[in-house]
Amino acid sequence: MSKEFYKLGAFEYNADVQIIKGKLESEGIVVFLRDENIINSDPLVSNAVGGIKLEVYARDKEKALKIYNQIRNYARDDNGEFIVCPNCKSKRSEVYYSRKTIFYKLFPFFEKRKYKCLSCEMITMPNKNT
């Protein structure tokens, strides 16, 4: 049995990862959560440790990705429409925060919202005209 893992994603909150974990396990995929206990003990360190990592065996990667992409919550604008990537026109974006400075690490709610396309990985600012 292969012991190589594939990181499906990292989540700031335990509740977010538990929903996806439950769906993957119901489909017969073995799931591992790294740093779950650390964040359950002190949720404020989530950014410092990179969140809870959701991992699967590498052999289950394709099946897990297919399920994960079906249930993933993609970013929407104020009108409820999916954010469209200006580069590749994909509707598969998620909210992205870089938190590069110490100020934004301490006060992440001040950082302006950006979106990262999951198809081409382009990072964009929201369009103010929508």
Side-chain angles (χ1 to χ4, degrees), residues 10 33 44 55 63 66 70 74 80 90-91 100 120 123-124:
L33 299 178
L44 297 176
E55 296 182 348
K63 183 178 177 185
K66 183 177 177 185
Q70 288 174 349
Y74 297 112
S90 171
K91 293 183 180 180
K100 290 185 178 179
C120 70
I123 298 170
T124 59

Side-chain angles (χ1 to χ4, degrees), residues 65-80:
L65 277 172
K66 183 177 177 185
I67 294 166
Y68 179 52
N69 287 330
Q70 288 174 349
I71 63 173
R72 180 182 255 173
N73 188 16
Y74 297 112
R76 295 177 183 256
D77 63 16
D78 293 335
N79 299 322

Side-chain angles (χ1 to χ4, degrees), residues 15-27:
D16 297 336
V17 75
Q18 291 299 330
I19 294 168
I20 297 167
K21 177 185 179 220
K23 176 63 177 171
L24 291 171
E25 288 178 338
S26 75
E27 298 288 335

Side-chain angles (χ1 to χ4, degrees), residues 27-39:
E27 298 288 335
I29 298 173
V30 179
V31 177
F32 301 91
L33 299 178
R34 298 216 189 274
D35 298 327
E36 176 188 23
N37 292 331
I38 293 170
I39 293 170

Side-chain angles (χ1 to χ4, degrees), residues 78-115:
D78 293 335
N79 299 322
E81 301 294 325
F82 287 109
I83 300 295
V84 178
C85 175
N87 184 44
C88 71
K89 308 301 182 214
S90 171
K91 293 183 180 180
R92 296 180 50 223
S93 294
E94 64 184 3
V95 176
Y96 173 80
Y97 295 102
S98 58
R99 296 183 179 144
K100 290 185 178 179
T101 66
I102 188 70
F103 179 77
Y104 290 133
K105 287 179 183 178
L106 292 172
F107 306 105
F109 42 85
F110 283 119
E111 186 175 1
K112 293 195 184 300
R113 181 179 296 177
K114 297 183 253 341
Y115 298 99

Side-chain angles (χ1 to χ4, degrees), residues 46-60:
S46 183
N47 288 332
V49 298
I52 300 171
K53 285 74 146 185
L54 177 72
E55 296 182 348
V56 297
Y57 283 120
R59 67 172 186 262
D60 295 330

